[in-house]
Amino acid sequence: DYDFSEKTFAGYLMISGEGELLGMPYKANAGVRIASTRLSVDSYVNVGTVSTLVTDKNRYTNVLPSANIAFNVTNDFLIRISGSQTMQRASIADLAPSTFFNATNLSVTGGNSALKPPISTQADISFEYYTGKSSLISGALFYKDVQDFIASFVTSGVDTNLDPQGRVLTFSRPENLASAKIKGFEIGVQQFFDFLPAPFDGFGIIANYTYSDSEDNAGFPLVAVSKNSYNLVGLFEKGPISARVAY
């Protein structure tokens, strides 16, 4: 059991403007977000029949800049360029330091209140060509550099407080273990057949494909990041009827 408390204080400042560059109109914004986080976890350490209340604390402040600009190359063709830093907080289950001992398989698991949030420095450029009021062909290139990636750290050893028999136990806790890089591209199309006679002008299709090449600082691919992913959607939108089939 544990009692978890997290408080976040945040603020941001943003400026925006528009103008013309090399004959192309543009709109842009830039800003920074500052977030200060404090957390406290009360948990019990059980040794035999004695339970001791332990309080773990952590505190960190993150400064996250962001900048975006969009060029109207023509009325139908846009180019967007952006760069930013973002953060992802660890889950409460990862932060809670409570220890769970499984005497059957001799495993010890628990969280880690000292985890830092992974920070992603990312940039992308996208291209958008509007072929109609509801139709679009798009593509993008993206790159992410993630620091303090969270992964399970596994060790083995003996802990006679948990296991008086002195057997070798397997310990697993989350740690800020690695950095990671993700790069790739995506393409997509959204097309409504509004040039067809009614009621067929309500039919449309959405399709996209993403390629991601990811690896950590040891050269291994990241778990839960697919190299190839895609979506295919057929839809009908007209009047009171809305229907879609997705794969």
Side-chain angles (χ1 to χ4, degrees):
D1 294 333
Y2 58 85
D3 185 14
F4 181 90
S5 173
E6 182 178 75
K7 295 181 179 180
T8 301
F9 303 90
Y12 73 93
L13 174 68
M14 185 182 76
I15 58 174
S16 60
E18 56 185 85
E20 190 171 295
L21 181 64
L22 301 176
M24 293 183 294
Y26 71 84
K27 293 183 178 180
N29 61 54
V32 62
R33 178 178 177 85
I34 302 175
S36 177
T37 304
R38 303 176 184 179
L39 63 90
S40 175
V41 189
D42 293 334
S43 59
Y44 285 96
V45 174
N46 300 312
V47 179
T49 59
V50 179
S51 296
T52 304
L53 179 64
V54 177
T55 300
D56 292 272
K57 295 184 177 182
N58 194 1
R59 180 176 181 175
Y60 51 86
T61 299
N62 301 99
V63 180
L64 307 170
S66 174
N68 308 273
I69 186 168
F71 294 96
N72 279 79
V73 181
T74 68
N75 289 335
D76 301 324
F77 181 45
L78 274 71
I79 297 177
R80 303 180 189 271
I81 303 172
S82 66
S84 65
Q85 281 191 329
T86 59
M87 62 181 289
Q88 181 181 12
R89 302 180 190 279
S91 68
I92 294 179
D94 283 340
L95 290 167
S98 299
T99 297
F100 302 92
F101 173 45
N102 187 322
T104 301
N105 58 17
L106 301 180
S107 64
V108 182
T109 59
N112 180 3
S113 62
L115 289 175
K116 295 181 291 185
I119 302 294
S120 173
T121 302
Q122 53 201 26
D124 61 76
I125 178 171
S126 63
F127 308 89
E128 303 170 9
Y129 178 58
Y130 294 87
T131 58
K133 62 181 181 179
S134 301
S135 301
L136 165 70
I137 300 173
S138 64
L141 302 171
F142 58 86
Y143 175 82
K144 300 175 184 289
D145 187 344
V146 184
Q147 301 295 321
D148 293 323
F149 205 80
I150 297 175
S152 293
F153 184 62
V154 180
T155 59
S156 60
V158 175
D159 189 333
T160 55
N161 289 325
L162 293 174
D163 182 33
Q165 300 180 42
R167 293 173 292 181
V168 177
L169 310 178
T170 301
F171 299 85
S172 176
R173 288 189 184 273
E175 300 279 356
N176 295 107
L177 287 179
S179 61
K181 292 180 172 58
I182 307 170
K183 58 182 181 293
F185 67 88
E186 56 188 11
I187 54 176
V189 60
Q190 175 177 298
Q191 178 67 55
F192 274 90
F193 304 117
D194 47 13
F195 50 84
L196 296 177
F200 303 104
D201 56 346
F203 283 101
I205 186 172
I206 299 174
N208 58 63
Y209 167 78
T210 301
Y211 172 82
S212 294
D213 182 23
S214 65
E215 65 176 22
D216 61 18
N217 55 341
F220 295 105
L222 295 182
V223 175
V225 178
S226 298
K227 188 175 286 290
N228 299 283
S229 59
Y230 57 90
N231 298 276
L232 182 61
V233 182
L235 51 91
F236 182 84
E237 300 276 353
K238 191 172 180 65
I241 301 176
S242 175
R244 60 180 56 207
V245 178
Y247 175 76

